[in-house]
Amino acid sequence: MNVFKEKQLSPKLAAAILWGMVIGITILYISLIFNHNIWTDEAFTLQLLEQNITGILEGTARDVHPPLYYLYAKLFALFSHRSLLIQKLAAIIPMTATLVIGATVIRKNWGNRVSFLFVLFLTCIPCSMEFAVQVRMYSPALFFVTVCGIFAYLAFMDGKKKNFFVFALTGVLAAYTHYFAFVSVIVITGLLFLAILIWKRERITKWIISALSMVICYLPWMPSFIRQVRNVEQGYWIPEITAETIWGYFTWTFDLELIPGAVLIFLLLLKGASTYNIIRIALHKGQIEIFALFCMLVPVCTTLFGVIASIYRTPIYRDQYIFPALGLLALFFAIAMRTANKGILILISLFFLFVGGVQYKECYHQEYNSTYVPQTEAFFSENLQETDYVLYNWEAFDFIYECYFPKEQLAYSEEFDFSRSFHVVWFLDTEGMPEIDTNVLGQNGLIMEHMGHYGIEHNEFEIYKIYRESLD
């Protein structure tokens, strides 16, 4: 595989391979979006996008996330009202942009091999494909944190104002996208300060200007941020931190359902890369290897902050919150392994490609075959009429049902008046939730007929048809 022979690979062939990877992976992402499976967090996004700009800002201020992603998604919603497909495309764009950074900026500064390994690692780790197409803020946060880290290094190396500007700008944008992306930016900024203090003190003024600019740009959101922190401290749904929870951070990132144990191979690879990188630092004291170490410290410190804050304050950290920092983990691995033996790199690449293929299979199943959404939509497309109602007995799921049914035809079963005029009531009966009183049905001359087993998201239910005996 000459792909690993930097000197034997022509620039045109290297570019063709890298851009072929970027385009091919983007096509795979797009192949996963032609469905109408809406996950819980995505339903919250779609519901919030129904609001105007003021409503979005107020809604996010009441939630636990900053507003930038929702404003970004709103731009697409303006031209495609409630289109899940368009919103998934909006999520793919920053993911592809991160890969483009790999094929351009990373290739320019560290070469073909680093660029190749970066794209391969980032796209093949088991968690990445699912979050590349989710209608949430993770792919934009990944893009901003990755660019922020890269340009922090470039600013350190050449001191150019434009590099400090990009570092500061993407840092602010990351902070406005996700709070743990904000934490990663703080780590990046701190590491840049440390590097400048040790090696290039003449850059300290530009660092101060950049840091102050970032703080000033974030001040408008600070009251909302403080309010959200206080609300979280009063109680949050995230479970407490245990040894099992911490191990779950690794399995979420690196394991596969179809191949349990892949996480162990990834951890061995990362351990080997970090050991190899530290040895090279000890022998050569190379700034590139030190930068790779700093890249690794970003996800490590971000996770440590989340775990420590969760232990000593209140649980606030979830496994997926590390996703914005995974671009820098990929860059660490790519730089650390760039001088490794060709045979080792071929084996690693084959392993990544195998994992990526299995990951695609799992994501394809999740997007297209893991729920009863197609059957449920087909049922209601054939049966639901304008004078019908859809009743549900899982009250907490109401905002997800609103993504599938007209709001004026939806009602919670405990609040529905069966004496009112209607054609048919379709009852979504989730197991373990309040049942409809058969006496109420009898008093109103209603019949309840079982129609089959269906579901939305991973909430499975029985559908019952409720109608009056006089119905034709």
Side-chain angles (χ1 to χ4, degrees), residues 188-205:
I188 292 169
T189 306
L191 291 173
L192 176 58
F193 173 75
L194 181 63
I196 288 174
L197 203 61
I198 295 174
W199 291 293
K200 295 185 183 290
R201 294 185 181 180
E202 67 274 13
R203 311 253 199 272
I204 194 68
T205 301

Side-chain angles (χ1 to χ4, degrees), residues 152-171:
Y153 172 78
L154 297 180
F156 167 80
M157 290 301 295
D158 60 24
K160 290 182 180 179
K161 292 180 181 179
K162 68 175 184 179
N163 290 332
F164 273 100
F165 173 78
V166 176
F167 150 70
L169 176 63
T170 52

Side-chain angles (χ1 to χ4, degrees), residues 7-55:
K7 294 182 180 178
Q8 294 183 11
L9 198 64
S10 70
K12 289 184 178 180
L13 180 57
I17 292 173
L18 290 168
W19 284 106
M21 291 174 66
V22 172
I23 294 169
I25 292 163
T26 300
I27 291 172
L28 290 179
Y29 291 154
I30 293 173
S31 72
L32 296 171
I33 68 176
F34 298 99
N35 63 77
H36 204 234
N37 277 327
I38 302 173
W39 311 118
T40 304
D41 287 346
E42 291 181 317
F44 175 82
T45 298
L46 295 174
Q47 188 179 56
L48 191 59
L49 294 182
E50 295 289 321
Q51 307 295 319
N52 57 25
I53 300 300
T54 300

Side-chain angles (χ1 to χ4, degrees), residues 36-108:
H36 204 234
N37 277 327
I38 302 173
W39 311 118
T40 304
D41 287 346
E42 291 181 317
F44 175 82
T45 298
L46 295 174
Q47 188 179 56
L48 191 59
L49 294 182
E50 295 289 321
Q51 307 295 319
N52 57 25
I53 300 300
T54 300
I56 289 175
L57 292 174
E58 292 175 349
T60 50
R62 291 192 299 268
D63 188 42
V64 291
H65 292 296
L68 182 60
Y69 164 73
Y70 300 105
L71 298 175
Y72 165 77
K74 182 65 175 178
L75 292 175
F76 293 85
L78 292 175
F79 303 101
S80 57
H81 182 62
R82 301 193 71 175
S83 171
L84 181 64
L85 178 69
I86 296 300
Q87 289 300 326
K88 285 179 176 285
L89 283 172
I92 290 173
I93 289 171
M95 191 71 190
T96 296
T98 307
L99 303 184
V100 170
I101 290 294
T104 55
V105 178
I106 289 176
R107 182 183 174 219
K108 177 182 177 181

Side-chain angles (χ1 to χ4, degrees), residues 399-412:
F399 70 103
I400 296 181
Y401 291 135
E402 289 176 1
C403 296
Y404 291 92
F405 305 105
K407 291 182 181 180
E408 61 273 12
Q409 290 183 264
L410 270 173
Y412 178 50

Side-chain angles (χ1 to χ4, degrees), residues 36 39 52 64 123-124 138 190 222 233 271 363 371 379 440 445:
H36 204 234
W39 311 118
N52 57 25
V64 291
T123 55
C124 290
Y138 294 101
M222 282 305 296
E233 289 179 346
K271 174 61 178 175
C363 288
T371 74
F379 176 87
V440 173

